[in-house]
Amino acid sequence: MINPERAAELDAQAAQIMQANDRGGFTVPTARLYPYQWNWDSAFAARGFAQIDKDRAWQELETLLEAQWPNGMVPHIIFRRDDPDYFPGPRIWQSGTTPPSSGYSQPPVAATVTRDLFEAGPDETAMPRARALFPKLLAWHRWFHEQRDPDGQGVIAIAHPWESGRDNSPDWDEAMSRVDTSKVEPYERRDTDQIHAEMRPTKADYDRYIAVIQFGRDCGWDSMEIARNGPFFVADPGLTFVLLRADRDLLALADALGERAAVGEIEGWIARAEAGAGSLWNPEAGAYCARDLRNGLASDGVSSVSFLSLYAGLKAPAQETANIASLTRVLAACRFAVPSFDPEHPKFDSLRYWRGPAWCVVNELIGRGLAERGYGDLAGRVRGDTGALIEQAGFYEYFCPLTGRGAGGGDFTWTAATWLAWASPKHFAASA
Ligand code: GLC
């Protein structure tokens, strides 16, 4: 157990990190390695800020949605000024938007956080601020349902591994191995200047990332062209579940704000996902797995996002029992919850990014879903481990699930935010 003095020290340190990464209305994930505003990072940052400065929490969501494209997409990186420390920067993407941005999105956690903020502070500012965000969130969700699920299957695809937020998960290996890299223009990456190469994606992975971006850029970021003919289009359980949860929260907001006109549309999205998400269940893996929509092939490993079915509120008793058994097995195989990929799978890699390490933000979503569905012991394990990782190693980008070693960037915004909003022992007392 973390003693109260130590917890208070970490609360203060987390708040300091959030403030140090504040660039005036938006945060960067960490200085240098990620010098811009990132999409789901900002949603988590808002949850952290809500603990120390409510106004600043709203602002984080507002600046994120300022970058929305005319077609509704909310980009995964917003380039408010060019920074040579980061590749690929605005010149590669050529978004043609103000501010410039990347051409993909990221898991839409923002509607859920908007609801959290709205319900925590029904004061005179929460109502107009939520009202102003609502149509933007609605348009963003509509873009996902129309452009990333063009056949209405109830599963949401990603058009680039980065859109999943789990950049180099083994879930994308098969589909990425077929991406043609023969026309990749020469480039120089910057990430390995700052972080040990063993933790980052390989050169071959990087070439494929760039080849997929070039396709999007060359078609002027035409979403339907990307969905129909792009080199990579894979249904992601992570995105499908985060969006299903976010749609439920958007529906609750619509009710609270009197946005009657939107209700039917959102209910339709929820019904479609409830009917379709089960198609991602892979009985051999005992998990919800990614599926390549070009050839129907499912991935074969247990990723941490499989456990987000609870957070999504998906009701499928047989799959839920098997999914919980997979979670229990995976947790028995490592000291710290929750490995991003199955520690007993040959592709597990304890330090390389999304191929094994534990990420506090995913833990937060998994833990929340487990608690809501009454799996108190598992939820306690996930939350307790998250606190222990931070307490022992510091506010790192991610952690080795076997040893607890911190890895990637340090002084990380979303790790600090997750501490403040959820993992700090002050919340245990409240919910025990
Ligand atoms: C990495 C992560 C992504 C995150 C970004 C900024 O690219 O894979 O999920 O949003 O870093 O923290």
Side-chain angles (χ1 to χ4, degrees):
M1 267 312 276
I2 305 172
N3 71 46
E5 292 79 53
R6 176 78 178 123
E9 199 178 285
L10 289 165
D11 289 348
Q13 212 182 319
Q16 258 164 31
I17 290 171
M18 307 268 317
Q19 278 146 9
N21 289 339
D22 188 349
R23 296 291 178 270
F26 72 94
T27 50
V28 296
T30 184
R32 294 208 56 213
L33 182 65
Y34 301 114
Y36 299 111
Q37 182 172 19
W38 257 259
N39 186 321
W40 69 331
D41 296 65
S42 272
F44 287 106
R47 271 186 41 84
F49 275 128
Q51 301 292 317
I52 49 182
D53 181 347
K54 283 223 174 96
D55 172 57
R56 186 59 191 78
W58 283 103
Q59 240 189 340
E60 188 78 24
L61 296 174
E62 289 158 359
T63 55
L64 170 64
L65 286 152
E66 256 169 39
Q68 184 161 43
W69 284 20
N71 68 2
M73 201 269 286
V74 180
H76 99 290
I77 314 174
I78 304 163
F79 304 111
R80 289 180 198 277
R81 63 186 162 75
D82 201 356
D83 190 316
D85 275 343
Y86 185 81
F87 176 87
R91 271 185 300 263
I92 302 287
W93 296 93
Q94 296 173 21
S95 69
T97 55
T98 310
S101 68
S102 72
Y104 305 109
S105 197
Q106 251 186 344
V109 184
T112 300
V113 178
T114 304
R115 179 184 180 186
D116 290 343
L117 282 179
F118 178 74
E119 290 181 350
D123 53 39
E124 63 289 356
T125 59
M127 181 63 94
R129 292 181 102 159
R131 237 186 243 299
L133 290 179
F134 183 85
K136 300 180 180 195
L137 294 167
L138 183 70
W140 183 20
H141 289 204
R142 185 181 297 128
W143 175 85
F144 268 122
H145 288 289
E146 290 177 354
Q147 308 295 323
R148 294 296 193 245
D149 181 18
D151 297 320
Q153 299 182 57
V155 295
I156 305 296
I158 54 168
H160 189 291
W162 294 346
E163 198 155 67
S164 70
R166 300 181 295 126
D167 302 10
N168 69 332
S169 168
D171 290 1
W172 324 129
D173 285 1
E174 266 293 311
M176 281 304 266
S177 71
R178 283 191 307 278
V179 170
D180 173 16
T181 54
S182 60
K183 295 196 195 67
V184 171
E185 294 151 14
Y187 66 92
E188 192 192 330
R189 55 196 281 201
R190 304 304 310 270
D191 55 328
T192 42
D193 296 353
Q194 298 162 49
I195 298 289
H196 200 287
E198 82 177 8
M199 296 179 186
R200 296 291 304 183
T202 61
K203 159 93 170 98
D205 287 338
Y206 237 82
D207 283 353
R208 295 186 183 111
Y209 293 152
I210 301 304
V212 181
I213 294 174
Q214 281 179 201
F215 180 93
R217 185 198 63 194
D218 293 347
C219 72
W221 299 108
D222 174 340
S223 295
M224 211 30 95
E225 172 63 14
I226 289 172
R228 295 294 178 207
N229 300 312
F232 180 93
F233 206 61
V234 179
D236 173 19
L239 242 170
T240 301
F241 292 147
V242 168
L243 182 61
L244 174 51
R245 170 57 181 254
D247 279 337
R248 295 187 198 282
D249 293 321
L250 196 64
L251 184 62
L253 276 173
D255 276 336
L257 300 172
E259 295 278 358
R260 301 302 311 160
V263 166
E265 184 178 17
I266 304 172
E267 283 174 347
W269 296 334
I270 294 172
R272 196 155 74 190
E274 284 177 340
S279 68
L280 296 179
W281 181 255
N282 178 343
E284 280 98 66
Y288 292 97
C289 290
R291 193 175 70 239
D292 188 338
L293 294 184
R294 299 280 182 251
N295 60 15
L297 288 179
S299 63
D300 70 347
V302 183
S303 290
S304 52
V305 294
S306 175
F307 312 126
L308 294 179
S309 63
L310 302 137
Y311 170 81
L314 197 64
K315 304 241 165 33
Q319 280 89 340
E320 184 170 315
T321 305
N323 206 14
I324 290 291
S326 294
L327 175 61
T328 307
R329 175 181 64 73
V330 157
L331 292 185
C334 55
R335 164 67 190 87
F336 295 98
V338 175
S340 45
F341 201 64
D342 184 349
E344 293 176 336
H345 191 284
K347 285 195 167 170
F348 173 77
D349 187 338
S350 67
L351 278 179
R352 198 183 288 276
Y353 232 40
W354 292 93
R355 305 180 78 86
W359 299 72
C360 295
V361 286
V362 178
N363 283 6
E364 179 179 343
L365 304 184
I366 294 173
R368 196 167 164 175
L370 287 168
E372 286 169 355
R373 279 293 263 277
Y375 295 99
D377 290 351
L378 283 169
R381 160 101 197 254
V382 174
R383 180 141 79 169
D385 283 6
T386 308
L389 284 168
I390 294 172
E391 199 265 329
Q392 288 166 31
F395 293 91
Y396 275 93
E397 182 175 5
Y398 60 85
F399 302 85
C400 171
L402 306 178
T403 64
R405 172 180 162 194
D411 289 348
F412 223 82
T413 298
W414 70 9
T415 308
T418 295
W419 172 271
L420 287 173
W422 177 71
S424 168
K426 72 179 175 210
H427 300 294
F428 285 52
S431 62

